[in-house]
Amino acid sequence: MREVNVALISEAIKEMCIEANCCLNEDIYSAIENAEKNEQSEIGKNILSQLIENAKLAKCKNKPICQDTGMAVVFIEVGQDVHLVGGSLTEAINEGVRRGYVDGYLRKSVVKDPLIRENTKDNTPAIIHYDIVEGDKIHIEVAPKGFGSENMSKVYMLKPADGVEGVKNAIIDCIKSAGPNPCPPMVVGVGIGGNFEMCAKLAKKALLRKVGSKSEKAHIAEIEEEIFKRANNLGIGPQGLGGNTTILGVNIESFATHIAGLPLAVNISCHVTRHSERYI
Amino acid sequence: MEIVLNTPITREKARELKAGDIVKINGVIYTARDAAHKRMLENLEKGIDLPFDIKNQTIYFAGPSPAKEGEVIGSVGPTTSYRMDKYSPKTIELGLTCMIGKGSRDVLVIEAMKKYGAVYIGAVGGAGALLSTCVKSCEVIAYNDLGSEAIHKLEVENFPGIVIIDSEGNNLYETEVQKYRK
Ligand code: SF4
């Protein structure tokens, strides 16, 4: 049994919130750089070069890349041989988010109740996904997610008969109807299988994977490749103002499902897809 | 065409702007997003005036991140405009001539833009750090309790934008995308 004080987790999460919001990940950054070289539209090229400049400036000034510093999504895998001490894990995670958003001058974008809509003023609560895994390590991933793109996401409960074509068409349909709203170029996270809530969680998880990486499952990697091409042929382009850079990448995760179903979730994200990861 | 656009913008001036024009905005603009729009228009129904004279003004759909010591403002890019579609026909009718945001607009907003003379300008979404360098002063003038969603009066210099929808209803989202669709 390894003892870990939850204060360590608060500290890590605080730092990860700030880091994720101010330093664009290398994979996204180089995807934008590549896109800028290959973009056919003049307007689009210009927008992409502004995004590069913006990311550089944010990093050097330790300023948020985007003012929508999101709702903090935390994936935490706790090894079953870890004994947590020092207080509640959930409270420790929220304390980390609170300190990250307050001390890091990040925007507080969370309301306490979806209908009464009063700002909590510290960006808590976070959305936390817990998992118990083997071993004595804790794996934390923090992915602050803006809502311009979150609002464009969809869940489809397809039929088994819709098959792989139905899946591909629905993903393209979702990207197309998002259009200029989620600050394209987008990053697209897809979850196939599971059930209603599982596919949505898979889609979110897919956004944690590096853009440009491929699924380990050959039949899934094929879909990723095709979607990448088809999406970039939609013409939406940077900021929806036309061009051949509509998405920077698409990552798909899949899971077992029921004989009667083919659940599909498409989590639309933007060129400020943030992600920070640590082991404790 | 690249145009230096000084605020306030008259209806006539707004009508001169054409979809595709690249603009550099100078002068005072006001931030307002979901909660501020809701409150402004609910107040109006109760007979309470808007917190600023909206005639010929520009609203920037944005909610900045907090400024650090010594900074004028935090990051301040546009938010998605369609969420303000419910309110914009009214603000345009009241005198608003320019909106800055990102993303598509409803046909009722475009109808109001055509009828009264107003323009919709796109700023680069997700470039909030860069756009903040164009903001020379920032003051919360109303709804302080709304935090980032309060109404901020900004003075901007060479704030970059592109006219997306003009007062004739020409829409760059439609015309440009068609060129690259395969
Ligand atoms: S969609 Fe992304 S880039 Fe655009 S405003 Fe939201 S978080 Fe920022």
Side-chain angles (χ1 to χ4, degrees):
Chain A
M1 215 40 136
R2 177 175 163 243
E3 262 193 11
V4 174
N5 193 305
V6 293
L8 277 178
I9 296 172
S10 295
E11 191 54 27
I13 288 191
K14 173 195 153 178
E15 290 169 9
M16 289 161 88
C17 287
I18 299 173
E19 180 183 287
N21 271 303
C22 301
C23 304
L24 192 63
N25 285 342
E26 198 44 50
D27 57 320
I28 308 268
Y29 186 85
S30 47
I32 300 175
E33 271 190 331
N34 277 336
E36 196 266 340
K37 287 187 198 111
N38 299 319
E39 178 52 61
Q40 288 158 9
S41 145
E42 267 314 305
I43 301 174
K45 215 177 173 62
N46 184 276
I47 290 166
L48 294 170
S49 65
Q50 288 184 51
L51 297 183
I52 295 168
E53 213 185 314
N54 182 66
K56 281 187 192 158
L57 186 70
K59 191 169 181 177
C60 117
K61 294 216 163 159
N62 205 28
K63 198 167 179 160
I65 307 157
C66 176
Q67 75 291 334
D68 185 356
T69 50
M71 200 166 181
V73 179
V74 178
F75 283 89
I76 181 159
E77 293 173 343
V78 182
Q80 59 195 19
D81 297 331
V82 173
H83 178 214
L84 292 166
V85 296
S88 138
L89 175 60
T90 303
E91 188 33 51
I93 293 172
N94 281 318
E95 178 59 20
V97 169
R98 187 175 293 127
R99 294 205 331 247
Y101 277 73
V102 173
D103 298 358
Y105 296 87
L106 305 177
R107 197 179 78 181
K108 325 303 181 283
S109 314
V110 175
V111 292
K112 192 171 180 200
D113 179 284
L115 298 175
I116 301 169
R117 306 200 73 82
E118 203 185 319
N119 199 299
T120 62
K121 299 204 161 74
D122 60 8
N123 223 55
T124 66
I127 292 180
I128 310 170
H129 300 287
Y130 297 97
D131 219 342
I132 304 290
V133 297
E134 281 177 26
D136 65 356
K137 296 264 180 310
I138 299 170
H139 179 215
I140 308 172
E141 291 176 284
V142 175
K145 179 73 166 68
F147 255 59
S149 51
E150 193 73 357
N151 281 336
M152 297 296 116
S153 307
K154 286 182 186 165
V155 169
Y156 301 80
M157 298 306 283
L158 300 176
K159 302 184 291 292
D162 293 326
V164 67
E165 281 314 307
V167 166
K168 289 191 258 189
N169 290 339
I171 301 170
I172 291 296
D173 168 75
C174 186
I175 296 170
K176 203 171 162 184
S177 65
N181 294 337
C183 297
M186 312 172 209
V187 174
V188 182
V190 178
I192 310 176
N195 60 359
F196 182 72
E197 82 275 10
M198 178 70 170
C199 66
K201 188 171 160 182
L202 287 172
K204 179 73 76 200
K205 224 168 172 180
L207 289 174
L208 303 180
R209 222 170 78 205
K210 283 189 172 29
V211 293
S213 65
K214 271 191 191 168
S215 167
E216 283 166 8
K217 301 172 187 166
H219 68 299
I220 299 288
E222 253 172 56
I223 304 175
E224 289 174 341
E225 205 174 314
E226 184 180 329
I227 294 292
F228 186 76
K229 282 199 195 117
R230 277 174 68 184
N232 285 321
N233 283 339
L234 288 173
I236 296 170
Q239 298 290 307
L241 291 171
N244 55 315
T245 313
T246 296
I247 70 170
L248 294 173
V250 52
N251 292 341
I252 305 179
E253 297 292 326
S254 64
F255 192 76
T257 191
H258 188 277
I259 47 172
L262 177 48
L264 168 72
V266 185
N267 196 189
I268 300 286
S269 190
C270 52
H271 62 85
V272 192
T273 295
R274 288 152 280 201
H275 171 217
S276 178
E277 172 179 41
R278 276 194 204 178
Y279 287 89
I280 291 181
Chain B
M1 219 184 9
E2 190 162 323
I3 293 171
V4 175
L5 189 57
N6 296 314
T7 65
I9 301 162
T10 60
R11 301 247 196 239
E12 295 68 43
K13 179 75 199 164
R15 285 198 190 277
E16 284 169 21
L17 295 166
K18 297 291 165 240
D21 286 348
I22 308 283
V23 295
K24 294 266 193 275
I25 303 167
N26 292 287
V28 168
I29 63 175
Y30 296 90
T31 69
R33 37 174 297 147
D34 312 59
H37 273 85
K38 184 167 187 281
R39 193 177 291 178
M40 280 199 286
L41 296 188
E42 279 175 4
N43 279 350
L44 207 61
E45 284 192 0
K46 292 184 208 147
I48 303 168
D49 283 345
L50 297 187
F52 61 98
D53 180 3
I54 201 168
K55 188 164 177 244
N56 296 340
Q57 293 304 339
T58 298
I59 289 185
Y60 182 20
F61 302 136
S65 65
K68 288 183 191 163
E69 288 309 305
E71 275 183 350
V72 175
I73 197 166
S75 294
V76 62
T79 195
T80 324
S81 309
Y82 76 88
R83 296 195 317 273
M84 268 54 75
D85 283 353
K86 190 178 163 191
Y87 312 108
S88 293
K90 187 70 191 171
T91 49
I92 293 168
E93 187 192 325
L94 292 169
L96 183 76
T97 51
C98 178
M99 296 166 284
I100 309 172
K102 57 140 173 144
S104 48
R105 304 309 308 268
D106 186 70
V107 40
L108 290 177
V109 178
I110 301 174
E111 284 311 314
M113 290 167 60
K114 291 203 270 199
K115 183 169 171 197
Y116 296 102
V119 71
Y120 175 52
I121 291 174
V124 176
L130 193 59
L131 289 168
S132 76
T133 61
C134 304
V135 179
K136 300 304 160 192
S137 77
C138 167
E139 180 196 352
V140 172
I141 58 150
Y143 312 159
N144 203 7
D145 60 298
L146 294 180
S148 169
E149 292 207 76
I151 298 186
H152 298 69
K153 180 180 178 184
L154 309 182
E155 239 180 273
V156 296
E157 233 174 70
N158 291 325
F159 185 97
I162 181 163
V163 177
I164 295 181
I165 307 174
D166 62 26
S167 62
E168 287 169 1
N170 298 309
N171 187 340
L172 220 54
Y173 288 140
E174 287 161 10
T175 51
E176 284 299 312
V177 170
Q178 266 165 23
K179 294 185 196 166
Y180 298 93
R181 182 170 295 155
K182 285 181 204 154

